[in-house]
Amino acid sequence: AVQHPEHVSALVLDSPVSCHWPYEQVSGTLWRGLAQHLPPLKAARRQLSCNCCLSASATPQGDRELVCLDPVDLASCLSIPLLVIAGTADPLCPRATIQALFDAAKSEDKQLFWLDGLGHNEVAGSRTYWHKLFAFLEMLQHGDPQNSRGPSACNDREENGGSFFAWCKKRSRT
């Protein structure tokens, strides 16, 4: 979405990884070697709170941040409509890191929904997940949240001429 904004109208993130994974295991020596060939970035000094980054050595973090944009940096470049759905009991993508990613997004039309008590691989099994997703897509189709039929919209797609699916098919070709 950041590299090709001309091709992306909106973004939906499901339990987004917003830490330094999988780069947390790369040694500081390698990051410093890479830094010799790239213009330096300002170190973000992120407060890492996920298990994968906390278990890795903290030493490479500063070296990594000088040459690598993380998901929070990239989110700060987003100005398109954004929907983020995540579980409050996700040990892989903790609430604090997802909140930081969401807060960094510059979009005026962004929504964040927490699914209480659900873990990383459980959110898509929630009915609320699908209701929020369909409501967001309806809002995009109509351009006005007041026109969205909300959660009940996902029950009558076929009976209404499949307008939602026709819209998706049309959008996937543009």
Side-chain angles (χ1 to χ4, degrees):
V2 172
Q3 289 184 336
H4 300 286
E6 69 278 7
H7 299 297
V8 181
S9 302
L11 185 62
V12 175
L13 299 175
D14 169 343
S15 304
V17 171
S18 50
C19 63
H20 289 197
W21 178 87
Y23 304 118
E24 83 285 356
Q25 297 296 324
V26 176
S27 74
T29 303
L30 291 175
W31 290 115
R32 286 188 296 277
L34 184 59
Q36 293 175 6
H37 305 284
L38 296 172
L41 300 170
K42 182 180 175 183
R45 293 182 178 86
R46 301 252 188 262
Q47 293 295 325
L48 302 177
S49 60
C50 61
N51 293 334
C52 64
C53 291
L54 289 175
S55 64
S57 169
T59 306
Q61 180 181 346
D63 297 322
R64 178 175 52 249
E65 288 182 350
L66 291 176
V67 295
C68 181
L69 295 174
D70 68 18
V72 174
D73 294 318
L74 296 174
S76 70
C77 300
L78 294 174
S79 59
I80 58 177
L82 172 67
L83 171 65
V84 178
I85 305 175
T88 60
D90 188 338
L92 302 175
C93 301
R95 194 172 184 149
T97 61
I98 292 172
Q99 188 69 54
L101 181 137
F102 180 79
D103 291 344
K106 302 293 186 224
S107 176
E108 292 181 18
D109 184 12
K110 60 182 182 179
Q111 302 172 36
L112 171 61
F113 293 103
W114 294 106
L115 300 179
D116 195 36
L118 296 183
H120 190 74
N121 293 324
E122 299 170 324
V123 293
S126 165
R127 234 185 138 98
T128 303
Y129 173 94
W130 294 102
H131 288 256
K132 297 297 183 186
L133 178 59
F134 283 133
F136 180 74
L137 295 174
E138 285 285 335
M139 184 272 304
L140 292 173
Q141 179 183 14
H142 297 295
D144 179 357
Q146 299 301 321
N147 291 334
S148 175
R149 293 177 290 161
S152 62
C154 55
N155 297 327
D156 60 350
R157 301 281 176 223
E158 299 295 329
E159 293 131 317
N160 289 333
S163 62
F164 173 77
F165 294 109
W167 177 78
C168 286
K169 193 173 190 180
K170 177 182 165 201
R171 296 291 294 172
S172 68
R173 292 188 181 143
T174 58

